[in-house]
């Protein structure tokens, strides 16, 4: 798994380059009640959506996944699933959103509507 982990510094450098990966915020709706920021340009996708519909990702695209779980639990589960499905260009942000913010990197308010998942 370590080879599929990326540091906040490396992600920051990539986002400033021509090799921009697609950044995916995997947080659940309840997480947004506590942490209302998102990495600028990140797309929020529910982990359940990705597992149920893996075709929403491209095997030709680089992805960086992140969450706010202290042990990166959600990112790790989705990463494992993606690798098993042969999505090999996927990495997990070490330390998640909190590590990104601790480095002083930019965040943006998340202002898109969402539904609470009660299932």
């Amino acid at each position: 798994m370590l080879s599929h982990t990326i540091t906040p510094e490396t992600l920051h450098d990539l986002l400033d380059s021509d090799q921009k990966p697609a950044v995916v915020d995997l947080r659940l709706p309840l997480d947004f009640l506590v942490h209302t920021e998102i990495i600028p340009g990140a797309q929020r996708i529910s982990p359940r959506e990705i597992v149920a519909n893996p075709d929403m990702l491209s095997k030709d695209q680089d992805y960086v996944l992140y969450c706010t779980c202290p042990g990166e639990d959600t990112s790790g589960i989705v990463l494992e699933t993606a690798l098993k499905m042969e999505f090999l260009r996927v990495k997990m942000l070490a330390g998640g959103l909190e590590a990104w913010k601790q480095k002083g990197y930019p965040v943006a308010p998340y202002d898109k509507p969402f539904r609470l998942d009660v299932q």
Side-chain angles (χ1 to χ4, degrees):
M1 273 305 215
L2 196 53
S3 65
H4 289 282
T5 301
I6 188 171
T7 65
E9 296 88 351
T10 302
L11 175 58
H12 185 262
D13 290 346
L14 284 174
L15 291 175
D16 281 341
S17 75
D18 294 334
Q19 303 173 12
K20 292 181 184 179
V23 180
V24 179
D25 186 310
L26 295 172
R27 291 180 290 161
L28 300 173
L30 283 177
D31 295 327
F32 282 97
L33 298 177
V34 177
H35 303 281
T36 58
E37 310 93 2
I38 191 168
I39 293 175
Q43 179 182 9
R44 192 191 82 74
I45 304 175
S46 161
R48 189 177 291 167
E49 282 180 78
I50 292 175
V51 172
N53 187 11
D55 290 339
M56 67 190 314
L57 302 180
S58 167
K59 290 184 179 179
D60 298 325
Q61 171 73 46
D62 291 320
Y63 292 94
V64 175
L65 313 173
Y66 75 89
C67 62
T68 52
C69 306
E72 295 128 1
D73 299 336
T74 303
S75 297
I77 291 168
V78 174
L79 175 62
E80 254 183 58
T81 303
L83 293 174
K84 286 178 186 172
M85 298 171 75
E86 298 184 13
F87 285 88
L88 304 178
R89 298 175 66 175
V90 179
K91 294 192 181 285
M92 175 175 72
L93 180 61
L97 182 61
E98 195 56 38
W100 177 265
K101 291 184 343 183
Q102 284 178 356
K103 293 291 180 181
Y105 296 141
V107 291
Y110 186 76
D111 56 3
K112 294 187 175 40
F114 59 87
R115 291 180 336 153
L116 293 179
D117 190 0
V118 293
Q119 294 180 342

